[in-house]
Amino acid sequence: MRRISAWVGWALCLCTYLAASAQDYPEEDEMILDLFSEDGTKPEPRAVPTAEFLKCNKAAWRVHGQYLVVLRQGTHGSHVQRTIRRLRAKAARRGQLLEILHTYSAALQGFMVKMSSDVLHLALKLPQVHYIEEDSSIFAQSAPWNLQRLLQPHGGSSENGTYRPPNDGGMALVYLLDGSVQSSHREIEGRVLITDFNSVPEEDGVRVHRQASQCDSHGTHIAGVVSGSDSGVARGAGVNLVRVLNCQGKGTVSGALAGLEYIQSTLLARPVDAVVVLLPFSGGFSRSLNAACRDMVAKGAVVIAAAGNYRDDACLYSPASEPEVITVGAVNSVDQLMSQGAGGTNFGRCIDLFAPGDDIVSASSDCSTCFTSQSGTSQAAAHAAGIAAVILSSNQNVSPVQVMQMMLHYSISHTINFLSLPDSHRLISPNLVAAMPPANSANEELLCRSVWSKRSGVTSSDQAVSRCRLGEEMMSCSSYTPDGVHAGETISESSGQMECVAFNALGGKGVYAVARCCVIGGLQCQVHASPECVATQYHLTGCTLWSAAGISADSRPNGSDRRRCVVSSGATSHAVCCHAPSLECHLLEKISADKDQVEVSCPSGWTLTDCSAVSPGSVVLAPVAKGNSCHVGSASGAGGAAGVAVCCRVRQPEQRRASPPP
């Protein structure tokens, strides 16, 4: 009897303990009670899915012991706090401590935590965790002072009297994520607001000189390029500093994420019509940082990033690799790629355009009236931010993608020598140098750009995919290989977004997918399963062609029936049909019997939407759109080539319906 009473007493104590524990840690109820089944035996352990763990692709830039825990989509703030409590409880039972550095609730639901690697595997098994990304460093993209001193040519002064942009950018607000800024400098005094946000790591080393002139150097120079009274691009634009870099020009992905959240919360409280977010730094590829930038664009901000100064593929870095961001490389005074000793501007398909970034004179933090010269893709991005502020001040209703398209449209093309680049990047790097739009520029023009995929693998089943940005319509899709060997292309839909898919062929060396992405008010494009546009209000703007056996020429619009595509025997062709108010399209053909290169250009006021080729006999042709021209070359080097260009425009009220372009 005593034994039974003792057992009952022990059970009551256990229940009381569990009830108290459940009150203290309600999220642990299931875990504790699962230790016992109904018959008192210990159940079999359940398999717990493990979240994905991500590391920076640059090992030297990883911030060890600091992790960004991102929860699954659909979670909210209470899930974040519950996950934090659960992780604390698990760590405490193992004698481990952790420190929550920041919580995120805008683009991402999650938190930044400092913890040991022993606790990391526990966090990966928490039920609401989608992935964990190790924090990593980001860097200001200006040349170091010693390299700068070696590379700096003879300085020059800007011709202030002749710089007259269409407007001063005064209707736009630029958020600058950088280090400190000397706001009392005469170049930017009254133009820069130092916000109360500050999220920077401690400086490396024990002997750090924190003189104001060193801490403010990068940020002051960049602010001067954006809106300085003598050296600025948009001299009326306001600049709000969000500090994410320390005195060494170094920050973290977590700090940049917190800075972007701060901007979002500020704009939510005090909305602004025209916002530019300038990110003059670069770090290793980060899914989290890219997602936060993408979210900023979706909320209406124009986000501009430095490409990076590593003479490398910009797609390996963040935020430069995010497709929704305007990524800017740097050129020197003669429109050639900026070089910095062993480094230099990044390049590749993730670049949108280049801008002046070498030997740029702007405000110096040495004194309130000093100037200095700095170089880097940070300076190039600052030029693009100034241009964006001017565009937005002309029309605050334009979307981020329209701003980007206007910047590309008014850029200077084909002036950069890409011979120094690897062969795989010469074709896909945009040969565009930023320029200020004219005063009478309008956003009522049809604007298009080519979006290249990365090159596919070399097996016959490999594919390449290219996508347009939010707000763009895909007016054509093509595939490209230097040797002309591919199986064609098609347009498919994924998660509500059109995708241009190119197929490698047997014996092919890899294929690129090239989407022609365009913007204009009211533009709507459809892909027909047949090679014909049926609805009369829709125009044929492109043709796709696919064949399992491989093809030697592109499908193209029919010269006699411009609503149909020419289809090779045994191949499948789809018509891309587009409609917009007052849209009109025409076909241009150019044939050469003896030359292996042909260029077909759309006339002024018309925009290229599709580039294809006519194959003379067995000659393999490789058509590619470059700017507003269709270039066709013979991949085999044999004579004879023919190019076909579809040129479209939106007719303005004062324009009469035109006959076909000459």
Side-chain angles (χ1 to χ4, degrees):
M1 187 70 178
R2 290 179 182 175
R3 181 176 301 175
I4 295 174
S5 298
W7 175 258
V8 171
W10 180 87
L12 289 173
C13 290
L14 175 61
C15 291
T16 302
Y17 170 76
L18 291 175
S21 300
Q23 291 177 357
D24 290 338
Y25 301 99
E27 67 275 8
E28 295 291 320
D29 290 357
E30 184 180 353
M31 182 188 71
I32 295 173
L33 296 177
D34 276 351
L35 295 176
F36 301 91
S37 62
E38 291 183 358
D39 60 2
T41 60
K42 189 173 181 180
E44 291 296 321
R46 293 180 299 178
V48 180
T50 301
E52 188 178 6
F53 178 54
L54 307 174
K55 290 183 179 180
C56 176
N57 55 349
K58 304 290 183 179
W61 298 351
R62 296 171 185 165
V63 180
H64 299 292
Q66 202 160 294
Y67 305 94
L68 175 66
V69 181
V70 178
L71 304 192
R72 301 183 187 281
Q73 286 189 346
T75 56
H76 45 77
S78 63
H79 291 105
V80 173
Q81 296 303 321
R82 188 177 301 130
T83 303
I84 290 174
R85 291 196 300 269
R86 177 171 289 185
L87 183 59
R88 284 191 190 278
K90 286 179 174 289
R93 283 197 298 273
R94 290 161 178 78
Q96 299 283 344
L97 297 177
L98 53 87
E99 179 184 0
I100 303 300
L101 303 178
H102 193 86
T103 59
Y104 303 95
S105 58
L108 304 169
Q109 293 286 344
F111 55 94
M112 178 57 61
V113 57
K114 184 179 287 186
M115 60 185 177
S116 69
S117 56
D118 296 333
V119 183
L120 175 61
H121 75 281
L122 301 175
L124 288 168
K125 294 181 180 179
L126 293 176
Q128 296 292 345
V129 175
H130 179 37
Y131 66 88
I132 297 179
E133 179 174 332
E134 186 179 42
D135 205 1
S136 56
S137 298
I138 55 178
F139 302 92
Q141 295 299 289
S142 284
W145 69 268
N146 57 330
L147 188 59
Q148 169 69 51
R149 188 171 297 169
L150 292 172
L151 295 176
Q152 179 180 330
H154 297 293
S157 59
S158 58
E159 297 179 353
N160 300 321
T162 61
Y163 180 71
R164 296 185 180 90
N167 61 70
D168 64 359
M171 301 300 292
L173 178 62
V174 179
Y175 277 94
L176 170 61
L177 279 73
D178 209 302
S180 297
V181 168
Q182 187 184 124
S183 58
S184 61
H185 196 287
R186 75 170 181 84
E187 269 288 280
I188 55 177
E189 189 174 13
R191 291 174 166 85
V192 177
L193 171 67
I194 310 296
T195 69
D196 57 1
F197 182 86
N198 191 335
S199 179
V200 300
E202 292 189 7
E203 285 79 8
D204 298 331
V206 294
R207 298 184 64 187
V208 177
H209 300 285
R210 298 189 181 179
Q211 294 139 345
S213 62
Q214 292 182 352
C215 289
D216 300 348
S217 175
H218 187 266
T220 301
H221 196 271
I222 295 301
V225 174
V226 175
S227 66
S229 58
D230 289 323
S231 58
V233 177
R235 297 171 183 178
V239 177
N240 284 8
L241 175 70
V242 178
R243 189 165 184 246
V244 298
L245 303 178
N246 64 16
C247 292
Q248 297 170 323
K250 182 178 180 180
T252 60
V253 167
S254 59
L257 286 171
L260 291 171
E261 282 212 343
Y262 170 83
I263 295 172
Q264 285 203 21
S265 62
T266 302
L267 293 174
L268 189 62
R270 295 185 297 276
V272 177
D273 290 331
V275 177
V276 179
V277 177
L278 174 55
L279 309 176
F281 54 74
S282 183
F285 183 87
S286 167
R287 183 195 297 180
S288 302
L289 183 54
N290 284 7
C293 292
R294 187 164 60 249
D295 186 67
M296 285 293 305
V297 176
K299 288 180 168 61
V302 177
V303 181
I304 297 177
N309 298 345
Y310 304 104
R311 195 174 283 179
D312 199 359
D313 184 355
C315 295
L316 301 176
Y317 300 83
S318 287
S321 54
E322 170 51 43
E324 296 293 328
V325 165
I326 300 175
T327 300
V328 190
V331 291
N332 60 21
S333 60
V334 291
D335 286 350
Q336 298 308 308
L337 298 178
M338 182 205 69
S339 179
Q340 293 179 335
T345 181
N346 283 355
F347 46 79
R349 66 184 181 87
C350 287
I351 303 282
D352 289 294
L353 76 170
F354 293 84
D358 184 58
D359 191 26
I360 305 302
V361 177
S362 181
S364 169
S365 57
D366 289 340
C367 72
S368 62
T369 59
C370 296
F371 286 79
T372 189
S373 171
Q374 292 189 16
S375 300
T377 53
S378 288
Q379 280 68 27
H383 281 80
I387 295 174
V390 171
I391 293 174
L392 286 168
S393 294
S394 295
N395 187 345
Q396 298 176 61
N397 295 322
V398 295
S399 66
V401 74
Q402 286 175 309
V403 172
M404 182 270 300
Q405 284 273 13
M406 290 182 71
M407 292 177 68
L408 301 187
H409 179 70
Y410 291 109
S411 294
I412 302 170
S413 60
H414 308 305
T415 62
I416 308 174
N417 187 339
F418 283 151
L419 288 178
S420 62
L421 297 184
D423 291 344
S424 57
H425 289 283
R426 291 178 189 171
L427 183 65
I428 61 179
S429 296
N431 202 319
L432 298 171
V433 178
M436 186 67 69
N440 58 352
S441 61
N443 64 321
E444 299 170 351
E445 236 179 314
L446 177 65
L447 303 177
C448 297
R449 67 190 182 104
S450 294
V451 181
W452 289 72
S453 70
K454 65 179 180 181
R455 195 168 185 169
S456 75
V458 297
T459 68
S460 58
S461 60
D462 284 328
Q463 303 176 1
V465 179
S466 180
R467 304 174 184 87
C468 296
R469 295 188 185 186
L470 181 68
E472 292 179 317
E473 290 285 332
M474 190 179 297
M475 295 189 78
S476 71
C477 164
S478 59
S479 51
Y480 176 82
T481 57
D483 58 5
V485 180
H486 58 99
E489 67 284 324
T490 190
I491 297 179
S492 62
E493 184 175 323
S494 176
S495 302
Q497 185 179 22
M498 305 292 279
E499 294 183 338
C500 174
V501 184
F503 303 93
N504 193 46
L506 183 65
K509 299 178 181 178
V511 64
Y512 296 97
V514 187
R516 195 68 176 164
C517 303
C518 308
V519 293
I520 188 65
L523 180 63
Q524 295 179 339
C525 294
Q526 302 174 351
V527 182
H528 283 217
S530 66
E532 181 181 10
C533 294
V534 179
T536 56
Q537 69 269 31
Y538 279 80
H539 294 266
L540 180 65
T541 60
C543 300
T544 65
L545 184 69
W546 177 83
S547 172
I551 59 177
S552 60
D554 285 0
S555 177
R556 66 186 190 279
N558 193 316
S560 57
D561 182 357
R562 293 174 182 174
R563 306 185 62 81
R564 294 184 60 87
C565 300
V566 176
V567 186
S568 302
S569 176
T572 301
S573 179
H574 294 162
V576 184
C577 308
C578 298
H579 166 73
S582 301
L583 179 70
E584 53 185 359
C585 298
H586 291 292
L587 201 67
L588 294 181
E589 286 190 41
K590 189 174 182 179
I591 302 173
S592 173
D594 55 350
K595 295 181 179 179
D596 59 4
Q597 299 286 332
V598 168
E599 178 179 345
V600 188
S601 297
C602 293
S604 177
W606 296 77
T607 301
L608 179 72
T609 65
D610 186 49
C611 174
S612 54
V614 179
S615 176
S618 61
V619 177
V620 178
L621 300 177
V624 60
K626 294 182 180 180
N628 214 31
S629 300
C630 175
H631 292 250
V632 178
S634 170
S636 59
V644 180
V646 178
C647 303
C648 299
R649 74 170 183 178
V650 171
R651 190 176 68 258
Q652 302 304 316
E654 68 276 7
Q655 294 174 324
R656 299 177 61 185
R657 181 174 297 275
S659 54

